[in-house]
Amino acid sequence: MMTATHDSATPDERSRLAPSQHPEEAITSSAPYCLASREGHPEKTIVTVGGVRIGGGVPVVIAGPCSVETEDSIIEAALAARAAGAQLLRGGVFKPRTSPYSFQGLGLAGLPLLARARAESGLPVVTEVMESAMVEPVAEVADMLQIGSRNMQNFPLLRAAGRANRPILLKRGFAATIEEWLLAAEYILSEGNSQIIFCERGVRSFDPMTRNLLDLTCVPLLATLTHLPVMVDPSHGVGRGDLVPAMGVAAIAAGADGLIVEMHPHPDQSLSDADQAITPQALASMIARIERVSAALR
Ligand code: PEP
Ligand code: MN
């Protein structure tokens, strides 16, 4: 059985604690995150989301509003995301808001709207799940489940995600170390789900000028530590739409496998995170730039 005592476990104890489904990886890794570790698993994992391959060398962009708001607006956003060159659609139906008085998302009622937006646009959909009991109903519609920053160490949720038959976008806790993040992925892996993408979304800093401090150092660092793909969310990372494209391009230059970006056809009408939403035009121009950067690096 996995325990939370890995930080004090010896390598021997770790291999004994490691789950049985990947014994060859468990015994060849000296890292506490034995299944996520690149040691003993040198080839990169490619995560496939609704037919879109992430981690295969071509950056993938997930774009869409912070929240699913109405049927018309999510369809409009999906068509705009596709026209701008994004391959996947995002949109939260369960929103982890700091204040209980802020818009909380449509909940389960938002899922059919996401499904309709997928049908209209052909883009697979990514949406957040906040509690274990919701993993099954959300997985029935979503092509990838997002675990948000505030839930990175919700261990029952991580285990439930590990039993889901869907890829997981695991966001970094805003005060989590990289080792804690890798160990969070280990909870999912140890339940048998190896389709995980790490998503850097900024850590809390001392400077109120931006929402968070986008830690792009983690991108090349994770590439040495884990075989799993890494994406970057510059939207929550900086919290300001005007800075998002530059940091998206920088993330790709640092080696990220893709981006998740908040885009709204009418940013000032967003029901959540309006300040960081970019327009479809800004998204299209950022995608053109990341394609040039990524081609230059190949
Ligand atoms: C989101 O992507 O909608 C979100 C809430 O992000 P985070 O968990 O990174 O704050
Ligand atoms: Mn948001």
Side-chain angles (χ1 to χ4, degrees):
M1 208 192 109
M2 298 291 282
T3 75
T5 58
H6 270 172
D7 21 16
S8 56
T10 65
D12 265 8
E13 285 168 333
R14 282 178 207 133
S15 5
R16 233 180 332 101
L17 292 168
S20 55
Q21 64 264 42
H22 302 286
E24 69 295 343
E25 288 159 353
I27 45 177
T28 52
S29 173
S30 57
Y33 40 87
C34 45
L35 300 176
S37 175
R38 197 148 193 173
E39 224 185 311
H41 192 309
E43 68 287 2
K44 247 188 110 165
T45 291
I46 294 178
V47 172
T48 304
V49 183
V52 176
R53 286 156 57 86
I54 300 171
V58 180
V60 168
V61 176
I62 307 170
C66 178
S67 309
V68 175
E69 298 169 351
T70 64
E71 179 171 343
D72 287 351
S73 72
I74 191 67
I75 291 174
E76 184 183 1
L79 296 175
R82 187 185 68 187
Q87 291 101 318
L88 299 165
L89 174 69
R90 64 150 289 147
V93 297
F94 294 105
K95 297 304 304 176
R97 306 306 303 282
T98 301
S99 165
Y101 309 120
S102 305
F103 175 58
Q104 301 287 304
L106 299 178
L108 288 174
L111 291 175
L113 310 191
L114 266 180
R116 229 156 284 153
R118 172 179 47 208
E120 294 285 330
S121 66
L123 299 185
V125 299
V126 183
T127 197
E128 178 163 354
V129 59
M130 284 171 53
E131 50 180 314
S132 338
M134 288 297 138
V135 167
E136 265 190 44
V138 175
E140 272 175 32
V141 170
D143 297 282
M144 175 154 70
L145 306 176
Q146 175 176 325
I147 295 194
S149 186
R150 292 153 191 81
N151 270 318
M152 189 205 82
Q153 285 189 315
N154 179 337
F155 300 117
L157 177 61
L158 295 172
R159 286 194 190 281
R163 293 188 293 269
N165 186 22
R166 286 284 177 271
I168 307 296
L169 185 71
L170 179 61
K171 293 193 126 194
R172 180 180 184 176
F174 55 72
T177 65
I178 287 170
E179 181 161 309
E180 286 164 344
W181 192 12
L182 287 157
L183 285 167
E186 203 68 18
Y187 271 87
I188 301 170
L189 288 158
S190 66
E191 294 289 337
N193 187 349
S194 57
Q195 293 276 289
I196 302 171
I197 301 169
F198 288 101
C199 179
E200 163 63 30
R201 49 78 71 206
V203 290
R204 184 157 281 185
S205 94
F206 50 83
D207 192 341
M209 198 75 86
T210 55
R211 184 171 178 179
N212 287 292
L213 185 65
L214 188 65
D215 175 17
L216 291 183
T217 312
C218 80
V219 174
L221 178 55
L222 281 171
T224 70
L225 299 176
T226 179
H227 53 90
L228 296 166
V230 182
M231 295 184 90
V232 170
D233 171 354
S235 308
H236 293 86
V238 300
R240 284 176 42 168
D242 59 334
L243 306 181
V244 165
M247 296 313 289
V249 173
I252 297 302
D257 294 298
L259 305 176
I260 178 166
V261 179
E262 288 188 348
M263 178 277 296
H264 196 290
H266 315 281
D268 51 342
Q269 291 170 25
S270 300
L271 293 183
S272 54
D273 284 349
D275 293 347
Q276 68 197 35
I278 62 172
T279 61
Q281 294 73 23
L283 177 68
S285 118
M286 182 188 73
I287 291 177
R289 285 162 69 199
I290 69 170
E291 280 169 359
R292 289 205 298 277
V293 167
S294 141
L297 294 176
R298 275 203 284 276

